[in-house]
Amino acid sequence: MFTEETPLEVSLPLSVKPLASPFPSDCPGLLSDAMTDVPVDSAAAARTSAPEGLTLAEEEELRSELAKVEEEIGTLRQVLAAKERHCGELKRKLGLTPLDGLKQNLSKSWHDVQVSNAYVKTSEKLGEWNDKVTQSDFYKKTQETLSQAGQKTSAALSNVGSVISRKLGDMRNSATFKSFEDRVGTIKSRVVGSRENSTEGLHSPSGAGDKPPQDNAPF
């Protein structure tokens, strides 16, 4: 029972307004454009459709194995990077330059090429072709022809040399060459004799007495 002294309190419901949209009503295209920017998980989308010929269990097993392999690859890359850093430190302490490393790499590469199956097979093929060529009739005939040509050329050169020597000997023994040689000797002796006489005349003491005496008497 309510008395007159107790006021009556009535709670009225609050009016709730709807939330305003972030996009204006006059731009309906913005909503679709904004939805296109939402990233989509490709792995989750791929899981929805399993490849043909694989069950879901097989797909999950393959994905698990792929994840393990990728993790092992990452671990091996880290180990390789650490090993390369350690190798560089050792080379630096030993005083090895990058040029030395390049030489070692080239030597190792050449050695790998020499021991490779392709190089060995190629060498064997070249050896077989060389044997076939050297044993062929055409090669033998060509070699014989070249040998005969070389012998003929040597004989011709020796004949030419002997002929020239004989001609020179005949010229020296001829009367014309002897008379020319005698004339040259005579001219040489005359030139040498005239030089000796002129030298003696310049150094003789009688040359000074030919000058007239100077009169040094006082006036």
Side-chain angles (χ1 to χ4, degrees):
M1 293 299 291
F2 295 96
T3 61
E4 292 180 358
E5 295 179 358
T6 303
L8 181 62
E9 295 180 359
V10 180
S11 61
L12 297 176
L14 298 175
S15 61
V16 179
K17 295 182 180 181
L19 295 175
S21 174
F23 305 103
S25 59
D26 56 349
C27 298
L30 291 177
L31 181 59
S32 60
D33 294 339
M35 292 299 292
T36 56
D37 295 336
V38 177
V40 180
D41 190 358
S42 59
R47 293 192 190 95
T48 57
S49 60
E52 296 181 358
L54 291 177
T55 62
L56 293 176
E58 291 175 349
E59 183 185 0
E60 290 297 332
E61 184 180 357
L62 291 176
R63 290 184 184 280
S64 177
E65 185 177 356
L66 177 61
K68 290 180 181 179
V69 172
E70 289 179 348
E71 184 179 358
E72 290 177 357
I73 291 173
T75 304
L76 291 175
R77 285 177 179 173
Q78 294 177 0
V79 173
L80 179 60
K83 292 292 185 182
E84 288 179 349
R85 288 194 298 270
H86 185 58
C87 181
E89 292 176 359
L90 293 176
K91 288 182 178 180
R92 181 174 56 80
K93 291 179 181 180
L94 291 173
L96 297 177
T97 61
L99 182 60
D100 297 331
L102 179 61
K103 290 180 180 179
Q104 291 178 0
N105 292 332
L106 291 175
S107 301
K108 187 177 181 300
S109 300
W110 177 241
H111 180 265
D112 294 340
V113 169
Q114 288 179 336
V115 299
S116 62
N117 294 328
Y119 182 84
V120 173
K121 290 181 180 179
T122 304
S123 300
E124 292 177 354
K125 288 292 183 182
L126 291 176
E128 292 177 358
W129 292 344
N130 187 25
D131 295 337
K132 290 180 180 179
V133 170
T134 53
Q135 297 299 328
S136 62
D137 296 334
F138 177 76
Y139 180 83
K140 291 180 180 179
K141 290 181 180 179
T142 304
Q143 191 175 11
E144 291 176 358
T145 303
L146 292 175
S147 178
Q148 292 176 1
Q151 292 177 0
K152 291 180 180 180
T153 303
S154 300
L157 292 176
S158 62
N159 292 331
V160 170
S162 61
V163 169
I164 292 174
S165 299
R166 186 171 62 254
K167 290 293 184 181
L168 291 176
D170 295 339
M171 288 177 62
R172 287 180 179 179
N173 294 327
S174 62
T176 304
F177 186 83
K178 288 183 177 181
S179 61
F180 176 75
E181 190 175 8
D182 293 339
R183 290 179 182 178
V184 171
T186 303
I187 294 172
K188 182 179 179 181
S189 60
R190 289 180 180 177
V191 170
V192 172
S194 61
R195 287 181 179 178
E196 290 178 354
N197 294 331
S198 62
T199 304
E200 291 177 356
L202 289 173
H203 293 284
S204 60
S206 59
D210 296 337
K211 295 181 180 180
Q214 295 181 358
D215 190 6
N216 295 326
F219 291 101

